[in-house]
Amino acid sequence: MASLIGKSVQSKTRALARAAAGPSYESALTKLARCRNIQQDLADLVATLSRQALYQERASWDDIARSLGLPAEEVRASVEAKDAVLVRAQRRQQPNRSQKAAHCVPDQHRLGRALSHLQRRDGRSVRALARALGISPSYLSLILLGQRVPSWDRVTRIIQACGGCPDDLHGLWERARGLHFADKTQEQYQQSLQAMLRGLYIAACEPDVKELTAVSPLLQARQVRAMFHGSANCPALAEWPAVSVLARALQADMGEVRRLWRGAFDA
């Protein structure tokens, strides 16, 4: 992904340099628009390289912030806001990616993304939220980065403090802790499947439903909303083609989704 963005920045920068260096038919406004496009590509590149530094090189947000000369919280908020956009862009570049892509993001980091999204949506800083929860800001930061997976009690307190619903993220927490409960009733499988889809949606920073339906003609906005918020045994959840398309759009572990769906609906 970084190489693709880098090539885009390179080609756009060269074109802008040629236009700015000498006589050009382009107006100044057109050149400014070129600058804006380059800035957008650079923001995407910063987000991608930051994730590589975090996950592959074990760097901290403070390390990344020092490299950019910006406050750590500002960098983290900017990068995480870009995550959903970058995921969609990468999906368009490689539409045939399947289950392999779901494993690019470890389960604990996916849980951290979801909790981090709730924290940003709540509006309080990490320090203020940590103070309200009675824990240290550094420990809360590790949780939000997916570098710590605390007890369910602790996760529940974080979710509720941010105005979220714990049921939405329980499936993410189970997988982040390596817990897989094989024996469920049909109703429990249905509830787990729906909770998984809601958790993945939150971890993706709650993209507009229209962006999800644009992935495939199999998905309709009303259908997607029903999968997230309707009753656990809603007809939309029983339609495997639509469920699988939505799950892939959210970068789910398709093996886990299929297991839950079969337990819920496959007679």
Side-chain angles (χ1 to χ4, degrees):
M1 187 65 179
S3 62
L4 290 173
I5 300 173
K7 289 178 181 178
S8 176
V9 171
Q10 186 179 48
S11 62
K12 289 178 182 178
T13 303
R14 285 176 177 171
L16 177 61
R18 286 195 298 268
S24 172
Y25 64 89
E26 291 184 351
S27 68
L29 290 177
T30 301
K31 293 171 185 174
L32 286 172
R34 284 180 179 270
C35 291
R36 182 196 61 205
N37 289 336
I38 294 170
Q39 287 173 332
Q40 291 171 344
D41 279 352
L42 285 173
D44 289 346
L45 185 58
V46 166
T48 302
L49 293 176
S50 295
R51 285 299 174 194
Q52 288 180 4
L54 285 169
Y55 298 151
Q56 298 176 15
E57 300 175 11
R58 302 297 182 186
S60 68
W61 283 112
D62 288 334
D63 295 331
I64 295 169
R66 279 194 293 272
S67 296
L68 295 170
L70 296 170
E73 284 195 15
E74 179 182 330
V75 173
R76 184 172 70 88
S78 174
V79 169
E80 292 183 344
K82 274 284 181 185
D83 274 355
V85 177
L86 290 175
V87 165
R88 290 191 294 275
Q90 193 169 13
R91 188 162 55 241
R92 287 193 295 270
Q93 296 267 347
Q94 302 173 350
N96 293 322
R97 293 183 314 155
S98 56
Q99 185 174 344
K100 182 179 178 181
H103 297 288
C104 293
V105 181
D107 288 328
Q108 64 267 28
H109 290 153
R110 201 185 297 273
L111 175 64
R113 282 186 181 184
L115 294 173
S116 181
H117 172 69
L118 292 179
Q119 175 258 321
R120 293 197 309 276
R121 193 178 69 182
D122 175 68
R124 281 179 288 182
S125 67
V126 172
R127 188 173 299 278
L129 181 59
R131 186 165 53 248
L133 293 167
I135 60 178
S136 71
S138 59
Y139 180 53
L140 179 58
S141 291
L142 291 174
I143 295 172
L144 299 182
L145 288 172
Q147 295 177 5
R148 295 288 186 278
V149 182
S151 67
W152 177 240
D153 272 350
R154 176 80 72 189
V155 172
T156 297
R157 288 180 57 207
I158 296 172
I159 296 169
Q160 290 176 334
C162 295
C165 175
D167 288 347
D168 291 349
L169 300 188
H170 190 260
L172 289 183
W173 176 82
E174 282 185 353
R175 292 191 296 282
R177 292 286 287 241
L179 303 175
H180 299 279
F181 301 111
D183 298 324
K184 295 178 185 283
T185 66
Q186 185 178 29
E187 183 179 0
Q188 286 172 331
Y189 273 115
Q190 291 171 0
Q191 292 170 347
S192 296
L193 174 60
Q194 189 172 44
M196 172 189 277
L197 294 174
R198 287 200 305 268
L200 292 168
Y201 178 63
I202 294 170
C205 300
E206 298 180 291
D208 192 295
V209 170
K210 291 180 181 178
E211 295 178 359
L212 294 175
T213 57
V215 172
S216 168
L218 287 173
L219 291 179
Q220 299 177 356
R222 181 181 300 178
Q223 183 183 35
V224 172
R225 293 189 185 99
M227 289 186 200
F228 289 147
H229 304 298
S231 62
N233 62 350
C234 70
L237 276 176
E239 298 175 10
W240 171 247
V243 170
S244 64
V245 168
L246 177 61
R248 284 192 174 91
L250 295 172
Q251 285 198 304
D253 180 335
M254 294 306 298
E256 182 73 4
V257 173
R258 184 178 286 277
R259 184 183 72 83
L260 292 176
W261 185 86
R262 281 178 172 167
F265 298 106
D266 191 355

